[in-house]
Amino acid sequence: TNGTIANASVDLHFKPGDMKLKNTPQDDLAATIAVKGVDIKYLPDHPPVTDASGVIAFTGKSMDVKVSSAKFLTASTITAARVSMPDMYPDDVRMFITLNADAPAADIATFLALPRVEKAEKLHITNAITGRATGNAKFDLIAFSEQGREGEDMHYAIDAKLIDVREDNEWQAGHA
């Protein structure tokens, strides 16, 4: 993998019997890793975020990632992001993502078509879209599930400025 670990720390506070528990108590573990230029595979069926810099923190129960900069897909720039899983113990683990980005419209279409997101078709967006968008987005979805519900119950909100966005496809050309 690419990148470097700039700093890391781990504090362990296990009490007698904690190692026998199914789930690690939140206060038993506190780990922080500062990274620079790393590639992050955030979901198994998604392309990685690349050249990311930020801080990853774990407790016995949660994960919180704060990204100060990163790249995604062909030419998307992430200027700030946060990915958190506040409770990694339930059968359905929910992931919360907020990000500020500048992205080609085609990258947004690609992301919206990925497994677990699957909103492009519903929004009638294809990769034939051109232009750019800047703004912020919030997503939350089931990231990991013992019942196979990954991607279900997704919520999202996007606030973006669209710059010269248009979609050139046969339907528009034939029905303009």
Side-chain angles (χ1 to χ4, degrees), residues 25-27 29-31 57-63 86 88-89:
Q26 179 161 334
D27 295 335
L29 169 69
F58 292 95
T59 69
K61 180 180 177 180
S62 66
M63 179 197 76
M88 295 192 294
Y89 294 149

Side-chain angles (χ1 to χ4, degrees), residues 159-172:
D159 182 17
K161 177 182 176 187
L162 304 179
I163 304 160
D164 297 325
V165 172
R166 58 184 235 157
E167 186 169 22
D168 296 320
N169 60 36
E170 292 178 28
W171 186 88
Q172 286 182 332

Side-chain angles (χ1 to χ4, degrees), residues 142-164:
I142 296 171
F144 306 99
S145 173
E146 291 183 11
Q147 288 80 33
R149 296 185 35 189
E150 289 85 359
E152 290 184 18
D153 194 27
M154 180 178 173
H155 305 101
Y156 63 96
I158 300 169
D159 182 17
K161 177 182 176 187
L162 304 179
I163 304 160
D164 297 325

Side-chain angles (χ1 to χ4, degrees), residues 52-76:
S53 295
V55 177
I56 306 162
F58 292 95
T59 69
K61 180 180 177 180
S62 66
M63 179 197 76
D64 190 48
V65 179
K66 293 178 183 170
V67 177
S68 55
S69 66
K71 296 177 180 151
F72 188 60
L73 294 171
T74 65
S76 296

Side-chain angles (χ1 to χ4, degrees), residues 69-137:
S69 66
K71 296 177 180 151
F72 188 60
L73 294 171
T74 65
S76 296
T77 302
I78 298 169
T79 56
R82 182 172 182 196
V83 179
S84 65
M85 288 188 279
D87 188 352
M88 295 192 294
Y89 294 149
D91 291 343
D92 294 331
V93 176
R94 187 160 287 280
M95 178 185 290
F96 298 87
I97 304 166
T98 60
L99 61 91
N100 296 331
D102 177 9
D107 277 7
I108 295 168
T110 298
F111 174 76
L112 291 173
L114 290 172
R116 303 184 197 215
V117 180
E118 299 168 347
K119 301 295 180 200
E121 185 176 338
K122 187 181 279 188
L123 296 170
H124 306 287
I125 298 172
T126 70
N127 284 6
I129 197 166
T130 60
R132 294 194 73 76
T134 61
N136 59 65

